[in-house]
Amino acid sequence: DLGEGIATASFTVEHTYSGFQQYTISYSEPNRNEGVVNMDNSVNTRFYIETRIIIDPFLGCNNTPKLLVPPIDRACTGVAWFHNPGAFDPDGDSISYELVIPFREKNTPVANYKDPTDPGFYTDFENGSEEGNPPTFTINPTDGTITWDAPGMAGEYNIAFVIREW
């Protein structure tokens, strides 16, 4: 329990794979938080994430990137917001980042997803950033820093990104 209704959960599963090939490991659970503003019907929309692993004796042992910074943040409207997931690869592999639409099940995005800089979240979209320009929402593909300059409407938002290991 991290306070204010925020908690973490972790699961450990042991599994023996049948052979050398590519596998998708996924996690799904019902009911996201109610009232997420940039998607429809969040409380009845499943949360879904996945990762891919390749078992190949010629590639040797490889670990997936680790995220060190919890994705729990608070932002202020009209002020630039930043988050870095603190990802690192234990094997020293290069990693890159890309924003994506959150999924509710395999290959199925959430219903009516809106980018956090959708004009509907701003009273003055053209001047929504700290500098008085249209707002932006980006991820640095090299270091993973997410920048939202700047939130328009207060509320809970859902975002997602992919980390690629090279």
Side-chain angles (χ1 to χ4, degrees):
D1 182 1
L2 302 173
E4 298 185 41
I6 299 170
T8 62
S10 64
F11 305 92
T12 301
V13 177
E14 268 190 48
H15 179 77
T16 302
Y17 292 92
S18 60
F20 310 129
Q21 64 180 345
Q22 178 176 297
Y23 297 92
T24 299
I25 301 169
S26 62
Y27 174 76
S28 179
E29 76 173 47
N31 308 109
R32 294 169 189 253
N33 291 353
E34 185 171 15
V36 175
V37 298
N38 65 330
M39 60 184 282
D40 285 351
N41 197 19
S42 60
V43 73
N44 292 315
T45 301
R46 294 190 74 82
F47 173 82
Y48 177 86
I49 56 173
E50 67 182 30
T51 191
R52 180 182 60 162
I53 63 169
I54 300 170
I55 298 178
D56 184 332
F58 297 108
L59 294 177
C61 187
N62 187 46
N63 295 282
T64 59
K66 310 285 186 226
L67 304 178
L68 300 178
V69 180
I72 314 291
D73 289 301
R74 299 199 190 286
C76 296
T77 59
V79 179
W81 170 85
F82 305 90
H83 175 81
N84 188 294
F88 80 98
D89 187 276
D91 305 309
D93 296 330
S94 296
I95 52 180
S96 63
Y97 306 82
E98 175 186 350
L99 289 169
V100 295
I101 295 174
F103 279 11
R104 58 188 168 122
E105 59 186 65
K106 186 168 186 64
N107 298 322
T108 308
V110 299
N112 199 27
Y113 180 78
K114 291 184 180 76
D115 184 281
T117 59
D118 183 280
F121 299 135
Y122 293 83
T123 55
D124 183 6
F125 179 79
E126 293 302 318
N127 297 297
S129 74
E130 280 188 338
E131 293 78 32
N133 299 310
T136 58
F137 184 78
T138 60
I139 191 166
N140 181 305
T142 305
D143 73 14
T145 300
I146 300 167
T147 302
W148 184 2
D149 186 8
M153 182 175 83
E156 186 171 338
Y157 291 79
N158 188 192
I159 64 169
F161 56 91
V162 171
I163 299 175
R164 298 196 194 285
E165 183 180 24
W166 304 90

